[in-house]
Amino acid sequence: MKFERYGIGIAKGMALTFKHLFRPPITVQYPEEKLVVSRRIRGNELVWYPDRCTGCATCAKSCPQGNIEIVTHVGDENNYVVDKFEVDTGRCMFCGLCVESCPYEALAMGLSYERAQYRRGQLVLSKEELRLSDVRQPSGYARPKIEATLPEQSLLVNWDREKGGQKLSLVPLSKKRGRGV
Amino acid sequence: MAIKTEPFILNIGPQHPSTHGVFRLRATLDGEVVVDVEPVIGYLHRGIEKLAEGRTYTQNIPFTDRLDYLASITNNLAYVLAVEKLAEVKVPERAEYLRVITAEMMRIASHLMAVGFFLNDLGAMMTPVLYMWREREKLLDLFEMVCGQRLTYNYMRIGGVSHDIPEEFLPALKRFVAEMPGFIDEYDQLLAGNEILLVRSKGVGVLPEELAINSAASGPVLRASGVKWDIRRADPYSIYDRFDFDIPVGSAGDCYDRYWVRVQEMRQSVRILEQAIPQLPEGEVCAEVPRLLRPPVGEVYGHIEAPKGELGFYLVSDNSIAPYRFRIRPPTLINLTALKDMVIGWKVADLIITFGSIDVCLGEIDR
């Protein structure tokens, strides 16, 4: 190829790159600064409410992977008593179909996303581990009531460092990070 | 005195930064000139077509996310459109608009990745990619807001979409649509006149019009060769016939045209978004569909214009809750068959950029 004046295009590109030097950074220092995730985040956990669950196993039937294992027996009041509710989150693909299908809102997706474990066995969660706790909070996925209570997601579109467009939740470096959000 | 030479086989991949995943290319070289290439695929094979035969129609939607994982929404859309065609489900108006809005957002995000990594293959190491990832990140934030995940959305449902959008979605999307043309101008300033890009990609890896048609190429690869074929126009699905947009067409069919067509398609997608946002009606987002859908006995082929080309689903129903046959027509696998004709006679460095300009996604090729 022949160019009339070689180098003009490169110089234009360099001018743009130079302009970027004066733009505010859009990245955050991840473990110290954390962005607020979506209210509907399909996080790495399921939250199970034993008082609402009737043991109907709709969630287990809707799971594409067959991850949810439920064992029940008939109780005194002619109801199902859940003996075993076990989810293998190592095989879960977090599609959220179980949460959408639950007719009693007894299952919710979790809010956390830092759930790496050292053993595969630790990813299999029993019914005691699946209950609501400080580190296991439900997200608003398919649960509009919970969604309304959660904080607004930080969006890069609204990023403006001077105006504080993104809300950051800051965790100091020295503090030992626990599990959870 | 002539030096005696013999062809030499170079193995590229399966783990190599330029192969966009786990793709292996066995190239026969004469010095630095490519004599023959043989793609070796199957490293990411998961048997999705067979897995789908044992699952219900709704349960298969998350599996389609894992085909072309850079454009999950359009995979969802192609699949649910095929099922709706089979079961004759009527989709509410608002759901149709949400489908078009998310699909066009996905097209922008996918093309940003494609253009960025094409330049990465050219040797513009990471600078254009990071400029484009900034815009892609904004879209991923919006997808996360709507459906809760950043990559595997699982958003479409048979008869509509899974959720209505939250109220802060439309202001954020309007802001994105307003500023996106400015960013595309920036990419043009950075790249379109760049002499190195022009020298490296103009006239390289030419796919002639006739060969492009004969090899069943689709998407930007076909349009760069000068064929005005876009399924959104040729066989309108969903509500694409209501929007006004142009189909950018290249002339030479070389790597530069494929880059150029993608950048222009981003502009057209922004145009579609600009038209769709004000028209968005109120109402239901999902039709009443039985949870265990049993479509009537029959077969159907549904296809859409995915960011990478024509994505088709061929489904056979035997009136049970699971499809009897689930066949995917992945665009990039078909586009890849034209690679050999594009690269023979070019150097190894041109082989890499020609492969990058096809914009393959291995999750879709191997399935």
Side-chain angles (χ1 to χ4, degrees), chain B residues 76-316:
Chain B
N76 288 175
L77 180 60
Y79 172 67
V80 296
L81 282 173
V83 177
E84 281 160 10
K85 215 164 150 185
L86 190 62
E88 291 172 359
V89 178
K90 183 101 174 59
V91 181
E93 193 82 337
R94 186 174 172 87
E96 294 272 29
Y97 273 90
L98 289 179
R99 283 177 175 187
V100 167
I101 287 173
T102 47
E104 290 309 313
M105 284 161 66
M106 198 75 251
R107 192 180 311 277
I108 297 174
S110 175
H111 281 346
L112 284 171
M113 283 287 278
V115 173
F117 276 100
F118 167 62
L119 285 146
N120 214 9
D121 289 344
L122 258 171
M125 199 61 193
M126 287 328 271
T127 307
V129 176
L130 286 176
Y131 284 13
M132 285 160 195
W133 265 3
R134 183 186 52 198
E135 267 59 66
R136 183 171 174 266
E137 185 66 34
K138 294 171 183 170
L139 287 171
L140 294 192
D141 272 350
L142 293 174
F143 281 124
E144 186 189 335
M145 185 198 280
V146 176
C147 41
Q149 290 244 346
R150 291 163 51 85
L151 204 62
T152 51
Y153 306 115
N154 187 18
Y155 184 49
M156 308 285 171
R157 290 288 178 277
I158 297 156
V161 295
S162 69
H163 291 85
D164 202 354
I165 48 174
E167 55 189 39
E168 65 263 31
F169 176 81
L170 278 183
L173 181 61
K174 275 176 192 159
R175 194 166 169 163
F176 174 81
V177 167
E179 68 184 19
M180 188 61 199
F183 284 115
I184 300 175
D185 290 342
E186 269 192 3
Y187 304 149
D188 278 350
Q189 190 193 340
L190 184 70
L191 303 168
N194 190 306
E195 284 85 356
I196 301 170
L197 170 72
L198 291 169
V199 171
R200 283 291 307 281
S201 61
K202 276 230 166 178
V204 174
V206 175
L207 182 65
E209 185 178 338
E210 199 169 327
L211 185 62
I213 295 170
N214 287 347
S215 60
S218 55
V221 177
L222 179 68
R223 288 191 285 275
S225 299
V227 185
K228 201 166 183 176
W229 173 261
D230 188 319
I231 298 165
R232 289 176 291 175
R233 269 287 155 74
D235 180 13
Y237 54 91
S238 197
I239 49 165
Y240 273 105
D241 46 353
R242 296 184 200 174
F243 300 112
D244 178 32
F245 61 95
D246 301 330
I247 302 168
V249 176
S251 52
D254 52 10
C255 290
Y256 183 82
D257 275 6
R258 290 193 273 276
Y259 151 78
W260 183 86
V261 163
R262 290 202 175 95
V263 174
Q264 299 306 313
E265 276 188 16
M266 283 194 256
R267 291 187 192 275
Q268 299 305 322
S269 291
V270 173
R271 258 181 81 189
I272 296 176
L273 285 175
E274 278 169 356
Q275 294 166 48
I277 293 167
Q279 292 177 22
L280 182 68
E282 294 294 321
E284 288 290 308
V285 295
C286 197
E288 287 286 325
V289 176
R291 186 163 285 164
L292 290 176
L293 184 71
R294 290 172 194 270
V297 178
E299 57 180 24
V300 72
Y301 177 73
H303 60 169
I304 68 160
E305 184 71 30
K308 294 175 174 66
E310 177 187 344
L311 174 66
F313 279 86
Y314 173 69
L315 301 172
V316 180

Side-chain angles (χ1 to χ4, degrees), chain B residues 29-35 200 204 343-354:
Chain B
L29 307 177
D30 178 13
E32 215 188 334
V33 178
V34 179
V35 179
R200 283 291 307 281
V204 174
V343 295
I344 285 178
W346 293 95
K347 302 261 169 69
V348 179
D350 302 324
L351 164 67
I352 298 295
I353 65 162
T354 309

Side-chain angles (χ1 to χ4, degrees), chain A residues 1 3 5-20 23 26 35-43 58 60-66 93-97 100-103 109 140-143 147 152-160 166, chain B residues 51 55-56 58-63 65-66 127 130-131 133-135 137-149 152-155 157 162-168 171-173 175-176 179 183 186-187 189-191 193-196 198-199 202 291:
Chain A
M1 272 187 90
F3 296 104
R5 295 169 71 192
Y6 190 89
I8 297 292
I10 296 173
K12 271 187 186 170
M14 284 294 179
L16 179 72
T17 315
F18 188 71
K19 220 165 77 183
H20 266 74
R23 288 187 180 174
I26 55 165
L35 300 174
V36 182
V37 294
S38 162
R39 290 166 177 157
R40 290 178 184 175
I41 182 113
R42 301 207 296 266
T58 311
K61 281 175 209 154
S62 70
C63 178
Q65 305 281 52
M93 56 183 179
F94 305 101
C95 59
L97 290 177
E100 281 175 37
S101 69
C102 182
M109 297 305 291
Y141 185 75
R143 299 282 175 269
E147 191 182 343
E152 196 175 335
Q153 182 193 356
S154 52
L155 291 172
L156 189 57
V157 182
N158 301 334
W159 170 258
D160 192 339
Q166 287 202 337
Chain B
L51 284 173
R55 283 159 175 81
T56 65
T58 310
Q59 283 176 352
N60 284 331
I61 299 171
F63 284 105
D65 283 335
R66 274 102 183 139
T127 307
L130 286 176
Y131 284 13
W133 265 3
R134 183 186 52 198
E135 267 59 66
E137 185 66 34
K138 294 171 183 170
L139 287 171
L140 294 192
D141 272 350
L142 293 174
F143 281 124
E144 186 189 335
M145 185 198 280
V146 176
C147 41
Q149 290 244 346
T152 51
Y153 306 115
N154 187 18
Y155 184 49
R157 290 288 178 277
S162 69
H163 291 85
D164 202 354
I165 48 174
E167 55 189 39
E168 65 263 31
L173 181 61
R175 194 166 169 163
F176 174 81
E179 68 184 19
F183 284 115
E186 269 192 3
Y187 304 149
Q189 190 193 340
L190 184 70
L191 303 168
N194 190 306
E195 284 85 356
I196 301 170
L198 291 169
V199 171
K202 276 230 166 178
R291 186 163 285 164

